[in-house]
Amino acid sequence: MKQGKRVVITGIGVVSPYGIGQNLFWEQLHQGKSASKWITSFDTASVPTKFWANVPETDEALQAHLTHKKMSKLLTRSGKMSLIAAKEAVAQSGLNIADVSPYRIGISVGASGTGLSDPDMSPIGYDKSSWLKATEMPMTEAQHWAILTQHTHPLMSVKSIPNSISAHLSIIYKIQGNCQTITTACTSSAQAIGEAFHKIKFGLADVMLTGGSDSGTNPTCMLSFTLLGVLSKNNEQFQSASRPFDRDRDGFLLSEGAAFFILESLEHCKKRGGQPLAELTAFGCTSDAYRITDEPDDARGSIAAMQLALAEAQLNPSEISYINAHGTSTRMNDVIETHAIKRVFGDFAYKIPMSSNKSMIGHLVAGAGAIELAASVLTLQKNIIPPTAHLENLDADCDLDYVPKQARDANLKAILSNSFGFGGQNACLIIQKI
């Protein structure tokens, strides 16, 4: 592949289920702390899963962290978290965005149907009767209209557009270059970061503000994922219910949060006296072309994505120090990812440590790839691998080194971060020490 420019990460911002800021995020993550919480915001009597990993700050508390408070009425919860994370990333980078040509800096955001599931815009209320009505399929147009008119926010058309986050960031920072939003389910933010990386690598931009977010801790998302049968129902052990690669796993932990980054060409960073945190060296992206919610048994798409990433980084499989696994804690995904890694890494697969951040912070869906890349950069800097928490008994088909229960010191040089999403989307990122 054409070499292009070297790309570095100079700023990170995080809003996680632990709270606001990358320092708090790392402190809790590497200690293996569970972010799972009992749901208290609505009556869960009719809900099979009674826990999730929400950001502890209320909407009002998030708003207090916003510099541009007048925008708040047009921002969804994920939008507020995004602006807070982006602000931290810009501050850490030390970049004065005004010094960058407005058409040489862009934005790339991974998001879901932004805001459509927020309680104030949702057609599904918090009471049990509305929950049950929403599960009555099919619903007539008259029934649908009645629910919509009772619960829909008057600004839904503005707040819920998928590009609202990138648009608000563009307005705040006066960024006039390529601004895009990528919506590819659980792969959204990893793909958005990869596309931003390629914009710089191939000379289309000098700087990119990139990342992603999602807010699934609400009744609508809880209902939709419950109907798909992918959430853990282990209410008795809710704090340890997310247990990727464990034989007793029964689904993922629904979560929310945001993570954003400043990416720059190494040349631009050096010229302004910036300090790189890590080098982003590869992005592999494929589609399974199989089914919407299932992965093919041969794992062809995820295998190809990892191989493409290794080729772009010009690394041999043995040069990867650690894999930040997608690791959802679902029966299918964990086995398929394990199989894919064996295919790509051969015998070395048994020597390379890998772990799942989702065992602690849950699944951020569209924001998963971004927050896991933030964890990967911090892992690379600290030379500490966060554990796969709650892993007690390995699945017979999951026989690799998943760094169970406790963090591990390691000499890390290159990290592969995997993201695999509904629709068969696969995105793999590689970062290296610089």
Side-chain angles (χ1 to χ4, degrees):
M1 181 173 285
K2 181 181 176 182
Q3 287 296 307
K5 296 183 178 181
R6 295 175 67 185
V7 180
V8 292
I9 300 169
T10 57
I12 303 173
V14 177
V15 177
S16 76
Y18 301 126
I20 294 173
Q22 61 171 286
N23 292 336
L24 175 63
F25 173 62
W26 175 252
E27 176 188 335
Q28 301 293 302
L29 189 76
H30 88 275
Q31 291 180 20
K33 300 290 186 181
S34 173
S36 182
K37 306 174 186 73
W38 205 248
I39 298 171
T40 59
S41 57
F42 69 98
D43 180 6
T44 61
S46 62
V47 188
T49 299
K50 304 180 187 302
F51 57 94
W52 56 27
N54 65 316
V55 172
E57 281 76 11
T58 63
D59 281 351
E60 291 73 20
L62 290 174
Q63 184 172 327
H65 287 270
L66 298 176
T67 303
H68 297 72
K69 291 182 171 56
K70 288 185 178 180
M71 285 185 173
S72 62
K73 67 179 180 179
L74 298 177
L75 288 169
T76 62
R77 184 167 173 82
S78 63
K80 292 174 184 176
M81 293 187 291
S82 296
L83 266 58
I84 294 168
K87 181 180 177 181
E88 184 183 22
V90 172
Q92 183 181 28
S93 74
L95 176 71
N96 184 354
I97 291 180
D99 291 340
V100 184
S101 170
Y103 298 105
R104 294 293 298 172
I105 178 171
I107 298 170
S108 185
V109 174
S112 62
T114 307
L116 286 174
S117 299
D118 275 17
D120 63 349
M121 291 196 294
S122 172
I124 300 171
Y126 281 27
D127 61 282
K128 184 177 179 180
S129 62
S130 291
W131 177 281
L132 294 175
K133 284 179 183 177
T135 63
E136 293 173 0
M137 306 288 269
M139 186 184 297
T140 67
E141 286 188 9
Q143 289 172 322
H144 191 207
W145 177 254
I147 292 177
L148 284 174
T149 53
Q150 291 173 22
H151 296 283
T152 302
H153 194 285
L155 294 175
M156 185 181 76
S157 60
V158 178
K159 293 179 72 173
S160 65
I161 53 174
N163 68 317
S164 63
I165 294 170
S166 59
H168 283 295
L169 289 171
S170 173
I171 293 166
I172 289 170
Y173 293 107
K174 309 301 181 189
I175 294 173
Q176 300 177 61
N178 181 283
C179 291
Q180 63 187 22
T181 299
I182 303 232
T183 302
T184 48
C186 317
T187 312
S188 300
S189 54
Q191 190 169 350
I193 294 164
E195 296 294 341
F197 159 66
H198 278 165
K199 289 282 191 299
I200 298 173
K201 178 175 180 176
F202 298 124
L204 301 176
D206 298 318
V207 180
M208 292 292 292
L209 174 58
T210 184
S213 70
D214 211 342
S215 179
T217 54
N218 56 68
T220 307
C221 286
M222 178 63 74
L223 171 62
S224 62
F225 285 118
T226 294
L227 294 174
L228 280 176
V230 294
L231 297 183
S232 170
K233 301 178 183 66
N234 191 352
N235 298 307
E236 292 75 18
Q237 298 173 302
F238 72 95
Q239 288 192 317
S240 60
S242 182
R243 46 185 72 173
F245 311 108
D246 192 287
R247 73 184 181 199
D248 297 321
R249 69 194 183 280
D250 70 330
F252 67 73
L253 169 64
L254 192 58
S255 184
E256 66 173 351
F260 275 77
F261 307 84
I262 290 292
L263 304 186
E264 302 179 60
S265 69
L266 179 60
E267 178 186 7
H268 185 275
C269 178
K270 284 182 174 180
K271 187 175 181 180
R272 71 172 183 87
Q275 296 296 319
L277 304 174
E279 183 173 3
L280 182 53
T281 57
F283 167 51
C285 185
T286 65
S287 178
D288 293 339
Y290 183 62
R291 294 175 182 163
I292 292 296
T293 58
D294 296 339
E295 300 172 80
D297 291 339
D298 62 6
R300 56 182 179 267
S302 48
I303 289 169
M306 286 187 273
Q307 289 174 334
L308 286 169
L310 287 168
E312 182 171 23
Q314 298 184 348
L315 292 175
N316 295 318
S318 61
E319 293 179 282
I320 294 294
S321 310
Y322 162 66
I323 298 173
N324 189 320
H326 186 58
T328 60
S329 190
T330 58
R331 296 202 175 276
M332 177 181 62
N333 170 255
D334 295 352
V335 171
I336 295 296
E337 184 171 14
T338 295
H339 170 71
I341 288 168
K342 289 178 183 179
R343 286 286 308 277
V344 173
F345 290 88
D347 291 340
F348 187 69
Y350 292 91
K351 299 178 181 179
I352 183 170
M354 58 186 285
S355 64
S356 171
N357 300 152
K358 292 183 182 75
S359 64
M360 297 163 283
I361 60 172
H363 197 339
L364 272 69
V365 192
I371 204 163
E372 289 163 19
L373 183 65
S376 296
V377 174
L378 295 168
T379 296
L380 188 67
Q381 289 187 306
K382 309 290 186 181
N383 284 314
I384 300 174
I385 298 173
T388 301
H390 323 128
L391 177 52
E392 299 283 350
N393 304 293
L394 279 178
D395 185 310
D397 294 317
C398 299
D399 56 351
L400 300 179
D401 178 6
Y402 305 105
V403 192
K405 299 176 70 172
Q406 292 186 329
R408 182 185 302 173
D409 293 337
N411 181 21
L412 303 172
K413 295 181 180 179
I415 292 176
L416 168 67
S417 184
N418 285 338
S419 294
F420 309 130
F422 281 169
Q425 307 291 325
N426 308 293
C428 300
L429 299 166
I430 294 177
I431 56 171
Q432 295 177 244
K433 281 187 175 173
I434 187 167

